[in-house]
Amino acid sequence: MSQTDLLILGGGLVGSALAVAAAAHGLTSVVVDPADPAVTTAAGFDGRASAIASAPMRMLEAIGVAERLAGKGCPIEGIRVSDGLEPGALDFVPGDDEDALGTMVENRDLRTALLDAAGAAAGVDLRMTTSALAVRRDAHGVHVTLSDGSEVRASLLIGAEGRNSPTRAAAGLNVARWSYDHVALVTSIGHEHPHENVAYEIFYPEGPFAILPLNDDDRGHRSAIVWSVRSGQAPGMQKLGERGYLAELSRKMGGFLGELTWLGPRFAHPLGFHHAARIVSDRLALVGDAAHGIHPIAGQGVNVGFRDVAALVEVLVEGKRIGLDPGDPALLQRYERWRSLDTFMVAAATDGLTRLFGVPGRTANRVRRLGLSAVQRSPALKHRFITEARGESGALPKLLAGLTV
């Protein structure tokens, strides 16, 4: 029977990052996930890319993952927000002595880097293509029987399986959730003009339309597209031929990147919101989408999960230094207090933006444009938004500052 500090159910972006960060601080873990890495790291798996904010990227640097992403990330050196294609856009640009606002990384590259780092870490036992058949938590620890016939004992169970976390459900942790009746159409495109490392968020009444910079390849300039449409429209859009789809994209973009030259594989992801009322229980902590799922409108989904990782590792390491067990209730309560307000505020902000920019009509459009213009003219407000975009607001865990705990 294996003995470990953490048993992490879910080896996705957040679960694997937690394992690597914990190992960098002397905590051992067993990571269990039924997925096959050969499938989840393939180009055709889901097509998404993540905007890794500055602070989470510093954590990836501190735990040795960023070096595995060398040359694979595109810096975000500006963000332009507009209400449709109307004049009056809001521009966010870092100062001359500041780092980029974030880095665009294709999810398959990020998964590969994290899984490789986890596989190389001395304190991580990676059990992919394996499931948990039986889980028991009690005052003495966590006992799990796995599908490969092995048994694992741990001090703390981590639920990191994503939005439909069976661990969360089994623990009876209540979740507030709703659907946006929207689907995110995800693809990549080639275009004539360079994107200059600028990300664009164009708000339409039917949903936001994001153009996210990717590194050029041998085909030329390219960007990722996240296009939010009504659920009823998604099947028809997915059936469009390549020429028709590119024509629709060009209309949404207004032609500022020139001719669209090619279209990558297309994917559709339903959009929804959920937030767990509690993210801890007896010898259990939730991280990432198991704890909270938000609209991708501000590109903060995986960043919020990485903030969970940084906070939980800091709490556990500091507890270990004073002789506390990783499953100690006081440590778990500290983690919950630290993360609950931050995740709720981010969730509320993204939900509010989604609803605000979804209001149709000339009056609503005029009010939004006035608001964008007001922020554009206010350096203090722009700095506040940039701080949020970087993931540097609130009580920042040490890992998000690039420091070990």
Side-chain angles (χ1 to χ4, degrees):
M1 180 183 295
S2 302
Q3 181 73 43
T4 187
D5 293 319
L6 312 178
L7 177 63
I8 303 173
L9 298 184
L13 300 180
V14 175
S16 55
L18 175 59
V20 177
H25 292 83
L27 292 170
T28 60
S29 64
V30 172
V31 181
V32 176
D33 196 305
D36 182 349
V39 174
T40 60
T41 59
F45 179 62
D46 70 5
R48 287 178 288 189
S50 294
I52 309 300
S54 303
M57 183 56 77
R58 284 194 287 271
M59 179 185 79
L60 297 182
E61 291 169 355
I63 63 176
V65 173
E67 61 194 42
R68 298 175 183 270
L69 293 168
K72 297 178 180 177
C74 180
I76 301 173
E77 296 175 349
I79 300 173
R80 168 162 283 209
V81 181
S82 65
D83 193 20
L85 297 174
E86 301 285 344
L90 173 58
D91 294 297
F92 297 105
V93 180
D96 293 337
D97 58 343
E98 295 179 328
D99 295 333
L101 299 174
T103 305
M104 283 301 305
V105 182
E106 292 178 75
N107 278 11
R108 62 192 180 99
D109 290 329
L110 187 55
R111 283 193 191 94
T112 299
L114 286 165
L115 288 174
D116 286 350
V124 180
D125 182 356
L126 202 55
R127 311 273 188 99
M128 303 300 288
T129 66
T130 306
S131 302
L133 298 182
V135 180
R136 187 177 75 248
R137 293 179 288 121
D138 58 34
H140 305 291
V142 180
H143 182 274
V144 177
T145 302
L146 303 180
S147 58
D148 62 6
S150 64
E151 296 183 351
V152 178
R153 288 195 64 87
S155 297
L156 178 63
L157 179 68
I158 306 293
E161 309 105 322
R163 290 174 178 258
N164 298 313
S165 167
T167 298
R168 182 189 66 217
L173 298 175
N174 294 327
V175 181
R177 66 167 74 239
W178 56 80
S179 168
Y180 286 110
D181 192 30
H182 277 78
V183 171
L185 304 181
V186 176
T187 189
S188 56
I189 56 168
H191 42 83
E192 179 183 6
H193 304 317
H195 47 55
E196 306 293 350
N197 294 353
V198 175
Y200 298 87
E201 188 85 45
I202 306 172
F203 289 95
Y204 292 103
E206 60 269 27
F209 182 88
I211 308 162
L212 307 167
L214 298 174
N215 285 339
D216 292 351
D217 64 12
D218 54 8
R219 295 170 292 181
H221 309 305
R222 65 190 189 116
S223 293
I225 299 293
V226 182
W227 179 6
S228 181
V229 302
R230 302 286 182 188
S231 297
Q233 296 175 314
M237 293 302 304
Q238 291 295 83
K239 290 178 182 177
L240 280 177
E242 181 171 315
R243 287 185 60 187
Y245 203 91
L246 285 173
E248 288 295 319
L249 287 174
S250 184
R251 184 175 65 84
K252 287 286 185 182
M253 295 167 65
F256 63 86
L257 289 178
E259 180 185 357
L260 304 186
T261 56
W262 54 263
L263 178 70
R266 290 180 266 170
F267 305 87
H269 302 282
L271 299 178
F273 169 98
H274 70 270
H275 193 275
R278 295 201 63 207
I279 60 172
V280 302
S281 185
D282 296 337
R283 293 194 177 272
L284 169 66
L286 304 179
V287 295
D289 282 355
H292 37 68
I294 61 178
H295 196 286
I297 190 170
Q300 290 299 309
V302 73
N303 291 303
V304 178
F306 286 158
R307 289 167 74 100
D308 292 344
V309 168
L312 182 57
V313 168
E314 185 162 328
V315 167
L316 296 180
V317 170
E318 291 183 350
K320 181 179 179 180
R321 285 179 183 149
I322 59 174
L324 294 181
D325 179 274
D328 189 284
L331 298 182
L332 299 183
Q333 288 166 15
R334 183 187 170 203
Y335 166 66
E336 183 171 56
R337 286 195 304 269
W338 197 346
R339 295 303 301 135
S340 291
L341 179 60
D342 177 61
T343 55
F344 178 79
M345 294 300 291
V346 172
T350 54
D351 183 67
L353 282 173
T354 302
R355 297 180 188 280
L356 171 65
F357 281 94
V359 177
R362 292 180 179 272
T363 301
N365 176 266
R366 201 171 294 121
V367 170
R368 288 191 295 263
R369 288 174 59 196
L370 284 171
L372 291 175
S373 297
V375 176
Q376 179 78 339
R377 295 192 301 268
S378 171
L381 280 175
K382 290 183 77 171
H383 177 73
R384 175 70 179 272
F385 280 110
I386 287 175
T387 299
E388 291 288 343
R390 289 181 180 278
E392 296 173 347
S393 61
L396 209 63
K398 292 176 183 175
L399 275 172
L400 296 183
L403 305 173
T404 54
V405 180

